[in-house]
Structures are given as structure tokens and as C-alpha cells.
Amino acid sequence: MKSSVSGRRARLPALAVVATTVCLPSHAQTTATSDTRLPQVVVTGNPLGSRDLVAPVTALSGTPLLLRRGTSLGETLDGLPGVSSTYFGPNASRPVIRGLDGDRIRVLNNSGASLDASSLSFDHAVPIDPLVVERVEVLRGPAALLYGGSAVGGVVNTLDNRIPRSPIQGVSGTAELRGGGADRERGGAAMVEAGNGRFAVHADVFSRDTDDLRVPSYTPRADGEARARTDRVENSASDAKGGAFGAAYTSEQGHLGVSVDRYENDYGVVVEPEVNIRMQRDRYALSGERRELSGPLRALRVQFSHTDYRHDELEGAEVGTRFRTQGNDGRVELEHAPLGPWRGVLGLQFEQSRFSARGEEAFVPSTRSRQRALFLVEELAGTAGKLSAGVRVEQMRVASAGDEAGGDEEEEARFGPADERRFSLRSGSVGGLLNLAPAWQLSSNLSYTERAPTFYELYANGLHVATAAFERGDAQQRKERGAHLDVGLGWQHGPHSFKASAYTSRFSNFIALQGTGESVSEEGEEGETVSFPVYAFQGVRARFWGLELEGRRRLLDTGSTLDLDARADLVRAHNRDTGEPLPRIAPARLRVGLAWARAGWTARAEVDHAARQSRVPSDDVATDGYTLLNLSGTYRFKLGTSDALWFAKLNNVTDELGYNASSIRTVRELSPLPGRSLKVGLRVSF
């Protein structure tokens, strides 16, 4: 998996949200280590480049990211404060933030939209490989002001330097090899950058092969029936590869550049032993920024991308279902000159996409979606702290082709006539940060968000194999509305730190997938009749609340350092109409680690505990808790004139059986967490 990329860089085009809570002294906000070459200014949720943010952000880069990288974005981020994952086996795992998943989490690539089909179904992977990611920033809480109402849960922004954004002199690069693990990974990546101080180019490639995941011995269950005991997750192997090329004109005042990249991934679908997904995504991007302007406009930032995404679900050698998404997204941000003590950014955003699905498992019709938005963020900073405020207005249109899209006779009778829905959305936020003392900060934010229902929440009508249910949308669905409050407290003194946050969200209309008590019959593979429960997307009243805690204490600081750190989080979510818990909520979690460092050596031991999750709706079952012991170590050394880093990870030392409570039951009982495994790797930077 790819390391952080060298080069001297200016702040990436800033996107922001005046969203929520915990704000810490700037040196406590990232987890990057000294080998991180990206600037320590957080990009996500920060259009004005401030050091102190009102929103709670976690940033991963350098060695911490190197050691956390998994085969998917969700697996890489799972365990961060408030972050879990959908974990549909080792290949398809999307981030879950504060109990919210799917379209409520905005996944970005270099602050631009990642247009794909990952929010439609749990078995669809996010087409972003952690091998080529230099830095990940996770913004927790409502992020609707700049990213749209779909960012109610938060934002995950993956950053790279495929479009160079600041001058590069000479040639530099990285190469990485890694192997082992519970999936017997064979992976590698390489990157090179070159420039003459004005023109800069970037190129990277990566490849990763994995086998079926090894897990502690268990008894898989499918359709309520037990299978033969095994220590492998059937049909969980993968083969991913890709690369990119970018070029830009750069200066100290900005940049203008373009890039093209391709991502390919062939992987097995855990719930269907004979089905594999063949995925391909091509993305073309343009980015530009001009800073230090005079007059009423101080900075201008623009970006645009075009995405062509497709994947085929293969049943043996034949294509069973074909999905395709094509679309464009772009934004323009104008930073105005200070108006007295106020600084601010006015922005325009657009996004449009076309989706189609053809074949046996096409449970939604072909659709077109279009979004247009205007947002304004203002900030008032002083010695005692700062105030932030913002507003966003948005127009959303979702159109279904219905039966006009064609297809077989069954499809033509399924989706009805063509239809179109239009939504006017408004969101607002006001937040504050107070410096209580040199080492303490208190922050809070109140926000209101509106989210338009997605095309599948409106028009789904068919059997969804990944959830083992017949899913039905509602073309008259109302927009989702919620109010959110965050309060956070942060303390930093040298190597010691503490963070705490509490949050609550109340939705007057939360679009949930609810059991109706009905069932439908479908013909099975051998001609038998199989009955499936019917689930419908319905608006309900809902409440979420939770706590997040982090702390670090230096125990020893002589020739060596020894640090004790701990992290805990808790989230609760209820359907206020029925009184039942909402599904797929992570249990209370605690992680305690001990980290030692001396010269070029580091070592770490951590205990990761997840409590039993028994707060589940009536159509689910409790998930037992687990406790995992993980060990890791690194050694930094010179390899000729290059810097090298060797690393090793020994995960789940006791080979304990554990299941992810955030997964849907269909796959949870088929794919436990990885068993005991050793992974090693070498990264070289020149």
C-alpha cells in the first residue's frame, strides 16, 4: 500500500463545513508523524486555511496511515473516533460515521465527488484504493454547508498529489512492497514526481492480489442454515490495479493542472459463491487555484471532474447484472477580502450523473440526478476564539426512466412510468470556539440539514440479493430533515492530550429501510420457490446521540519515549416511532495502546475491545463482543541515498473470533473479522 508522496505542496483547494464540535489546538488535530510531507493544515472543512477548526477532524498520513491501510477505505478507517465500517467481507467496506452510512457519508477524492455505486449496495466497493492515498481526513458530524445534505453523517476526503499543487524541483518518488496478512496480500505501488519549479508532473501505479480471507474456525450460516465448519471466507479473493498521470503549471500563488486515473478491481461477492464483480472506473480531473489577489477577491479556486464508472456482476463467465454511472461534478470557491473582522467564502457547486442497471439483480430503474447549490461560509476570529456561520441553498432533481429504459418483460413491468422529483433544500450552521486557557479549548455547533432522497430510496422495486430482501422505494418520499448539536472539549500540553465530544441529532423525517411484514416469492436457482421479506424506505422520526473520547499520556521521555493512549466511543440510535433501535449500529468500543520509540525504531501493542451489541431491531440478532490484541513495529534506515522504512504487523495475536455489528446480517454470519496474521512491507523514498 502506497506511502505518502514526496514534494513540497501548498494547501490543497479548501473545502469546508462550519459543522460541529471538537476543536483542538492545531498541533493536536492530526495524527501524522514527522515523516509526513504534506502540510499540517487540515483541508476538509477548512476553506480559509485556519489552524483551529470548529469541526471535529481526524487526519491520517505518514506512518500511521501506512500501518492502518487495509484493502478497502472502510477497513482502513474503522476504529477511528466515531468511525466504523459496513464490512461486506474484506473487499467492500464503506465508512460509517456516528451510526450513519450509505449516502449520508460523503466520500471525496481530492475534495471532489467519487461517483460510483457504493452507496446503492453493501457489496459494491468504493473505487478508491488505500495504496495510492497519501492522506485521509475524516470530518465527523453534519457537513451539509459545502458538501450537500448527503453529508449529514460526515465527510471522508482522500488526498493525493495527482495534480501537483505547488512547485517541484527535480525528481522524487516512493516505492512500496507489502505481503502477508490474513488474505495473503501481494501488493506494491510506485510513484514519481518531477518538476522545474514551474511545470510539474506526477505518475503512479499500484497492484494488489489477495486470496480468500483466513479467519478463526467458525460455522458459516446462510439463509438461516449452517454450513460446514471452515477457516476461510469463501469467494473473498480480489485482484486490484490502477494508475494515474497528472501535470500542472505551478507557482507560489497557485496552480492549474489536469489528471487522469484508472481503477480496476475484480473481487468475489461473499454472499454469492459463484458471483464476482468486475469493476472499472476512469476519472478525469481539473484543478486550479489563484491566491494573494488584490481587491475584493483574495482567492479563487475551481475544480471539475468527469467520471465513467461501471461494474459487471459475473455469474461464472456470464454477465448477470451490469451497473454504470457517468457524471460530472464541479465547484467554484471565491474567498472575499475581509469585511471588518469577517472572512468568508462564497461557493457554487454542481453535480450530475446518469445511473443504469441491467440484468437479474437490477432492483432500481435507470435514473438521472442533478444538483445545483450555492453556499456561504463566514468566520469571525479573535484572541478569545472564533465564531463561524454558514448557509447553503440547493436544488436537486431525480428522474426515473421507468419502463421506458427497456429490458426484459419482468423489468418492464416493475418500475412503472417515467417520473421526476424536484427538491429545494436549505441548510444552516452556527458554531463557536472558545480559548479557555492556553491548553484548553471549548467548541460547540448547532446545525440544521435537509437531504433529498436518493434514486433508490425513491424508485427501488426488486430483490436485493446483498440484503436478502425485496426492497421498495417510495416515489412520494419527503426530504430528510434533522437538527444537530455538538459540544467538544480539547486539551493539549506537550505530548499529553485529551479530547472529548458529545453529540445529538434529531430527525423529524429520517428515511429508514423498514420491514413491512409482507413477503414475496422468487424462483430459486433449481426451480424451487424462495420467499423473501419486503422492506420499504419510509420516513420515521429518529434520534442519534453519542460520545467520543481520546487521550494520550507520555510515560517515559529519556533516550526512548513510551506513550500510553486510549480511545473510546459510543453511539445510540432509535426509531422514535416504534421505540426500536436502528440497525447496524456499532457497539461501545475501547482501544488502549502502548507505543515505544527510540532512534529509528518504533513498537506498539494495542488491545481493541468491542462490547456485545444487543440493542438491535426485532428482525436482527445480537452480535457478541470481542477483544483483539495487535502488535506492530517499524525501523527507519538509509538505503544508499534513499530513506527506507521497514514495517511489520501481527494482528489478532490470540486468533479470536469476532463479528462486525455494523455489517448486515446477510454477510455478518458468513464473514468474521480476520484471524491471526503477519504482514510485512518496505517503503523507500528518494
Side-chain angles (χ1 to χ4, degrees), residues 132-144:
V132 291
V133 172
E134 301 177 30
R135 182 176 173 92
V136 185
E137 294 179 354
V138 180
L139 176 65
R140 304 189 298 279

Side-chain angles (χ1 to χ4, degrees), residues 281-531:
R281 186 207 66 176
D282 295 312
R283 187 171 188 263
Y284 310 89
L286 177 146
S287 174
E289 181 177 18
R290 185 67 168 88
R291 302 182 297 273
E292 301 177 15
L293 298 173
S294 58
L297 186 64
R298 292 300 172 88
L300 168 66
R301 293 180 285 272
V302 298
Q303 64 182 72
F304 171 84
S305 69
H306 171 77
T307 300
D308 188 351
Y309 168 93
R310 50 202 175 275
H311 87 243
D312 297 335
E313 298 190 355
L314 305 175
E315 300 177 6
E318 298 182 359
V319 176
T321 310
R322 175 165 289 167
F323 295 85
R324 185 164 189 178
T325 299
Q326 288 182 299
N328 305 309
D329 77 281
R331 60 193 302 122
V332 178
E333 295 181 5
L334 307 171
E335 181 179 338
H336 65 71
L339 300 174
W342 289 93
R343 301 170 62 214
V345 170
L346 176 68
L348 300 170
Q349 179 189 0
F350 75 88
E351 187 175 313
Q352 59 187 37
S353 63
R354 292 181 296 169
F355 168 83
S356 65
R358 296 283 187 275
E360 297 178 1
E361 296 182 17
F363 64 99
V364 288
S366 296
T367 59
R368 290 175 178 262
S369 301
R370 186 177 68 183
Q371 173 199 57
R372 300 289 186 272
L374 174 69
F375 57 86
L376 175 67
V377 175
E378 294 290 329
E379 180 178 286
L380 171 64
T383 57
K386 69 168 63 175
L387 290 174
S388 297
V391 64
R392 176 187 179 95
V393 292
E394 182 176 340
Q395 295 291 322
M396 184 77 176
R397 188 186 75 176
V398 185
S400 164
D403 295 338
E404 296 178 6
D408 59 31
E409 293 181 0
E410 181 181 356
E411 288 178 343
E412 292 175 0
R414 180 183 302 169
F415 301 120
D419 185 55
E420 180 177 305
R421 291 292 309 279
R422 296 174 182 264
F423 299 91
S424 296
L425 308 169
R426 294 173 176 81
S427 301
S429 178
V430 58
L433 180 152
L434 180 63
N435 296 318
L436 300 177
W440 289 89
Q441 286 185 330
L442 175 68
S443 62
S444 181
N445 194 88
L446 178 65
S447 58
Y448 171 79
T449 61
E450 294 184 344
R451 180 182 75 90
T454 63
F455 63 92
Y456 54 87
E457 291 169 334
L458 291 168
Y459 302 116
N461 191 37
L463 177 62
H464 188 183
V465 175
T467 60
F470 190 97
E471 295 185 8
R472 182 181 296 154
D474 180 0
Q476 303 305 312
Q477 196 81 253
R478 295 180 296 126
K479 60 188 175 184
E480 190 171 87
R481 298 187 299 273
H484 319 272
L485 174 66
D486 264 281
V487 178
L489 182 68
W491 171 79
Q492 175 93 25
H493 181 68
H496 315 300
S497 64
F498 172 76
K499 312 176 192 179
S501 63
Y503 59 89
T504 182
S505 295
R506 283 183 175 268
F507 292 88
S508 58
N509 189 56
F510 180 83
I511 303 174
L513 190 59
Q514 300 271 95
T516 65
E518 307 172 70
S519 63
V520 298
S521 297
E522 297 274 341
E523 184 176 329
E525 295 180 356
E526 300 179 0
E528 77 280 12
T529 299
V530 182
S531 181

Side-chain angles (χ1 to χ4, degrees), residues 78 216 590-592 605-610 625-631 650-659 673-676:
D78 189 14
L590 172 66
R591 177 173 294 182
V592 179
E606 67 180 25
V607 176
D608 188 2
H609 174 72
Y626 60 82
T627 301
L628 308 180
L629 172 62
N630 303 315
L631 306 175
L650 180 59
N651 289 333
N652 195 359
V653 175
T654 60
D655 205 32
E656 178 163 349
L657 182 64
Y659 294 89
L673 298 176
R676 179 170 49 238

